[in-house]
Amino acid sequence: YAGGQTAARDPTFLERLQAAGEYAKDPVSFLAKTRSIIGDVFCVDLIVTKIVFLLGPEGNKELFRAPEDKLSFEESVKWSLGPTISAMYDFPGWTAASMRLLKQALLRQEKLDGYYALCSRVTETTFDDWEKKGVIPLFHSISHLIISNLLVLIAGEGIYSRHGEELIPMMAQFER
């Protein structure tokens, strides 16, 4: 998708620039509009990278039910980088074993239970802090909570507790 252009033909460079500009100005409105036009699964070309959005139940089904030969992580990375940049990279670490481990981390019940416990602790602590403050800036606070949960899942509780106050504001800069 690029500025109203769907798969009927490849978008022009100008249409791609327009889409990137619209996304930069107001990503939420852009994505809502794109979703209403195209549906839950779509790609946005932002010139330097492409982002595939898998939204809602249909998007989740596409991701989790697709076999590796139909939805390859390695091929997706190469595609999103584009032909020139992806030709410069080699992906020796993303072997079949690596993909199996990644899927096990996301799909095994005991792992999911562990993620739930981590996020619950972070969320409960955050809610307690909000209650003490009384009034909070909603967007900033929700954003901080989401980034906190992402950090604890990606880096673990140790990194989160030792460096979260420093890392979370840096990670929040990507939202702006």
Side-chain angles (χ1 to χ4, degrees):
Y1 177 79
Q5 182 60 42
T6 60
R9 67 172 172 77
D10 287 337
T12 65
F13 186 71
L14 182 59
E15 289 167 333
R16 292 171 60 211
L17 279 175
Q18 282 179 304
E22 285 179 48
Y23 182 85
K25 283 184 204 166
D26 188 355
V28 174
S29 295
F30 177 82
L31 294 175
K33 179 181 81 172
T34 305
R35 186 179 190 187
S36 70
I37 294 168
I38 296 177
D40 287 343
V41 179
F42 58 90
C43 172
V44 176
D45 185 343
L46 299 174
I47 307 297
V48 294
T49 191
K50 297 174 189 166
I51 302 174
V52 176
F53 290 89
L54 304 162
L55 307 172
E58 292 307 312
N60 287 328
K61 286 179 194 174
E62 288 288 325
L63 179 65
F64 288 114
R65 292 185 180 162
E68 178 61 20
D69 64 337
K70 300 288 184 212
L71 185 65
S72 166
F73 178 77
E74 181 180 329
E75 292 304 315
S76 297
V77 170
K78 288 179 181 178
W79 171 80
S80 70
L81 293 173
T84 306
I85 296 174
S86 68
M88 299 183 327
Y89 291 93
D90 187 13
F91 297 91
W94 285 103
T95 62
S98 299
M99 283 307 298
R100 238 184 358 267
L101 289 173
L102 180 63
K103 287 179 181 177
Q104 286 176 354
L106 294 174
L107 299 177
R108 286 184 29 215
Q109 188 61 45
E110 63 270 14
K111 291 289 188 185
L112 293 174
D113 291 342
Y115 302 150
Y116 172 78
L118 283 171
C119 289
S120 292
R121 285 194 292 276
V122 169
T123 301
E124 288 170 14
T125 302
T126 301
F127 284 176
D128 290 343
D129 291 344
W130 290 354
E131 188 175 20
K132 290 175 191 166
K133 291 179 182 174
V135 176
I136 58 166
L138 188 59
F139 176 80
H140 175 75
S141 300
I142 295 292
S143 173
H144 188 277
L145 174 61
I146 291 168
I147 294 170
S148 297
N149 279 298
L150 288 173
L151 181 61
V152 80
L153 289 175
I154 293 168
E157 267 187 304
I159 297 291
Y160 171 76
S161 63
R162 288 191 305 275
H163 304 289
E165 291 304 314
E166 179 185 354
L167 292 172
I168 291 167
M170 286 188 258
M171 292 170 73
Q173 292 300 312
F174 291 109
E175 290 183 342
R176 294 179 179 88

